[in-house]
């Protein structure tokens, strides 16, 4: 392509578009139609120049012009409470429901690993000895020992805030680092299941498994579910790198990545509830059955939220991705 000839042929269109964008008054209907047409043509011109005869100065000018025109055509939009409500009622549960084929198997396998680790630790004193000295293990597992007092070692509000922050960070790391083929996600999952298995094994060997479950289940059901959802979504994102399906890898990753960011926000809210339960309910003086019942109710409510609202939203076409109008525009490419 002869760049000088191309510029001469289309310079008037670019100048006209720039003139329309500088107008201080409201455009007429005809001018608005002309603006849209010039925006589309200029975007195509930019694509042709980038692919056939890249010129840094001209490309910079047209890129800026196309960006300004896109803003004028699509307009600016501010988030509102309606967006928050729609996200919580449709987008987030739909995204969690769509990824269920990843996080449900992740949850089942992880719990199996934790149970096997707990059995192995509880049945082998030599393994327990490698974890800590006998006196330290007794201090951990005795009545009013470290396992029990851990949940009441700090004021409830600050403890809940700290737990929420740590768990939200872990969930976000799973979602973000999933793009690295899911390997960091597997490591984070293993660390969580190892910690759970150690507690399970040590307390069961001390004959205090009921106490351990009474401390873990109230908040752990919802908390671990949120972690499993984050891990499953991260693994799905990693698999998208390997197999993007019918889309290009870039488009598939963009779609899954936007949904994952939204899920990080939603899971932060879920983990906030789990953190509140851990900070205020777990160390409370309520009977064990009452504390566990609160955890079960929270877990059932979340699963119903996902499988009722989420399934309905997913069947209606919601994927958890942002609206089409809010996505980055794709510049047309030359054939």
């Amino acid at each position: 392509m002869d760049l000088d000839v191309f510029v001469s042929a289309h310079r008037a269109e670019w100048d006209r578009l720039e003139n329309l964008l500088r107008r201080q008054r409201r455009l007429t209907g005809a001018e608005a139609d002309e603006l849209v047409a010039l925006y589309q043509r200029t975007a195509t011109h930019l694509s042709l120049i980038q692919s056939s005869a890249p010129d840094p100065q001209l490309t910079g000018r047209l890129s800026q012009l196309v960006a300004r025109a896109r803003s004028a055509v699509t307009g600016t939009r501010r988030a509102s409470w309606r967006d928050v409500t729609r996200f919580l009622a449709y987008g987030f549960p739909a995204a969690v429901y769509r990824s269920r084929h990843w996080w449900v198997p992740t949850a089942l396998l992880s719990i199996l690993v934790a149970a096997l680790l707990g059995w192995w630790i509880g049945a082998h004193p030599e393994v327990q000895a490698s974890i800590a000295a006998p006196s330290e293990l007794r201090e951990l597992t005795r009545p009013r020992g470290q396992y029990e007092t851990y949940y009441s070692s700090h004021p409830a509000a600050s403890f809940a805030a700290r737990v929420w922050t740590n768990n939200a960070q872990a969930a976000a790391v799973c979602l973000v680092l999933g793009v690295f083929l899911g390997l960091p996600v597997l490591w984070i999952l293993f660390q969580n299941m190892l910690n759970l298995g150690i507690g399970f094994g040590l307390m069961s060997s001390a004959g205090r498994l009921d106490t351990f479950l009474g401390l873990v289940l109230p908040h752990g059901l919802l908390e671990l579910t949120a972690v499993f959802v984050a891990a499953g979504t991260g693994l799905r994102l990693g698999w998208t790198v390997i197999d993007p399906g019918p889309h290009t890898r870039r488009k598939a990753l963009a779609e899954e990545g936007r949904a994952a960011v939204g899920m990080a926000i939603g899971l932060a809210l879920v983990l906030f509830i789990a953190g509140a339960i851990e900070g205020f309910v777990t160390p409370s003086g309520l009977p064990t059955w009452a504390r566990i019942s609160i955890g079960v109710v929270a877990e059932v409510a979340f699963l119903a939220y996902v499988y009722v609202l989420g399934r309905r939203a997913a069947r209606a076409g919601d994927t958890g991705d942002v609206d089409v109008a809010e996505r980055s525009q794709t510049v047309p490419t030359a054939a």
Side-chain angles (χ1 to χ4, degrees), residues 48-69:
L48 289 170
I49 291 172
Q50 288 176 325
S51 60
S52 303
D55 178 87
Q57 185 174 358
L58 182 59
T59 299
R61 183 204 170 186
L62 292 184
S63 296
Q64 185 180 31
L65 192 59
V66 168
R68 291 170 55 200

Side-chain angles (χ1 to χ4, degrees), residues 23 44 54 59 68 133 152 163 167 176 215 260 284 299 324 329 333:
R23 293 284 177 89
T44 302
T59 299
R68 291 170 55 200
S152 57
V163 167
N167 290 331
V176 172
L215 291 171
S284 70
E299 174 73 358
V324 175
Q329 296 289 328
T333 55

Side-chain angles (χ1 to χ4, degrees), residues 35 67-78 325-326 329:
L35 174 64
R68 291 170 55 200
R70 179 188 304 134
S71 177
V73 169
T74 60
T76 57
R77 185 175 180 277
R78 293 182 179 179
E326 298 176 42
Q329 296 289 328

Side-chain angles (χ1 to χ4, degrees), residues 221-236:
L221 290 172
L222 187 60
E223 180 182 294
L224 286 175
T225 300
V227 172
F228 293 146
V229 170
T233 304
L235 293 174
R236 178 179 181 175

Side-chain angles (χ1 to χ4, degrees), residues 10-39:
H10 299 289
R11 187 194 303 274
E13 294 176 301
W14 305 337
D15 291 343
R16 174 59 178 168
L17 176 60
E18 190 162 15
N19 180 265
L20 289 173
L21 292 172
R22 288 177 177 173
R23 293 284 177 89
Q24 298 296 322
R25 62 175 176 79
R26 190 182 185 90
L27 298 179
T28 64
E31 289 174 334
D33 291 339
E34 184 184 9
L35 174 64
V36 173
L38 288 173
Y39 157 61

Side-chain angles (χ1 to χ4, degrees), residues 185-253:
V185 178
L186 295 175
W187 176 249
I188 293 172
L189 267 180
F190 177 74
Q191 290 294 314
N192 276 273
M193 294 307 101
L194 178 61
N195 290 333
L196 183 61
I198 289 174
F200 182 90
L202 294 180
M203 290 293 277
S204 64
S205 68
R208 309 197 65 233
L209 182 59
D210 56 339
T211 301
F212 177 75
L213 294 178
L215 291 171
V216 171
L217 289 180
H219 64 274
L221 290 172
L222 187 60
E223 180 182 294
L224 286 175
T225 300
V227 172
F228 293 146
V229 170
T233 304
L235 293 174
R236 178 179 181 175
L237 190 61
W239 183 253
T240 302
V241 177
I242 300 172
D243 180 14
H247 304 299
T248 63
R249 184 168 283 103
R250 180 177 180 181
K251 181 178 180 181
L253 280 173

Side-chain angles (χ1 to χ4, degrees), residues 21-309:
L21 292 172
R22 288 177 177 173
R23 293 284 177 89
Q24 298 296 322
R25 62 175 176 79
R26 190 182 185 90
L27 298 179
T28 64
E31 289 174 334
D33 291 339
E34 184 184 9
L35 174 64
V36 173
L38 288 173
Y39 157 61
Q40 293 172 335
R41 287 204 292 270
T42 303
T44 302
H45 298 160
L46 174 60
S47 175
L48 289 170
I49 291 172
Q50 288 176 325
S51 60
S52 303
D55 178 87
Q57 185 174 358
L58 182 59
T59 299
R61 183 204 170 186
L62 292 184
S63 296
Q64 185 180 31
L65 192 59
V66 168
R68 291 170 55 200
R70 179 188 304 134
S71 177
V73 169
T74 60
T76 57
R77 185 175 180 277
R78 293 182 179 179
S80 65
W81 283 109
R82 178 178 295 179
D83 297 316
V84 175
T85 303
R86 188 187 183 286
F87 169 73
L88 293 177
Y90 302 102
F92 175 56
V96 177
Y97 179 79
R98 285 180 64 244
S99 63
R100 68 193 185 283
H101 297 302
W102 285 90
W103 63 263
V104 171
T106 297
L108 295 177
L109 290 173
S110 298
I111 293 172
L112 177 61
V113 169
L116 290 175
L117 287 171
W119 169 82
W120 181 57
I121 293 170
H124 294 82
E126 67 275 13
V127 178
Q128 300 172 31
S130 68
I131 296 174
S135 59
E136 294 175 327
L137 294 180
R138 284 193 296 271
E139 179 61 28
L140 281 171
T141 59
R142 68 175 177 82
R144 301 302 301 169
Q146 292 180 19
Y147 266 121
E148 290 187 50
T149 58
Y150 167 75
Y151 297 100
S152 57
S153 57
H154 296 85
S158 63
F159 182 76
R162 187 179 67 177
V163 167
W164 172 58
T165 301
N166 292 339
N167 290 331
Q169 287 177 345
V173 168
C174 284
L175 291 166
V176 172
L177 297 186
V179 73
F180 296 104
L181 304 181
L183 297 178
V185 178
L186 295 175
W187 176 249
I188 293 172
L189 267 180
F190 177 74
Q191 290 294 314
N192 276 273
M193 294 307 101
L194 178 61
N195 290 333
L196 183 61
I198 289 174
F200 182 90
L202 294 180
M203 290 293 277
S204 64
S205 68
R208 309 197 65 233
L209 182 59
D210 56 339
T211 301
F212 177 75
L213 294 178
L215 291 171
V216 171
L217 289 180
H219 64 274
L221 290 172
L222 187 60
E223 180 182 294
L224 286 175
T225 300
V227 172
F228 293 146
V229 170
T233 304
L235 293 174
R236 178 179 181 175
L237 190 61
W239 183 253
T240 302
V241 177
I242 300 172
D243 180 14
H247 304 299
T248 63
R249 184 168 283 103
R250 180 177 180 181
K251 181 178 180 181
L253 280 173
E255 291 178 355
E256 296 297 338
R258 288 191 298 264
V261 170
M263 288 182 70
I265 299 172
L267 289 176
L269 296 176
V270 176
L271 288 168
F272 177 80
I273 297 173
I277 295 174
E278 187 170 359
F280 292 94
V281 176
T282 298
S284 70
L286 292 173
T288 300
W289 66 265
R291 289 185 280 113
I292 293 178
S293 296
I294 291 173
V296 170
V297 168
E299 174 73 358
V300 170
F302 176 71
L303 293 178
Y305 168 71
V306 170
Y307 278 89
V308 176
L309 290 183

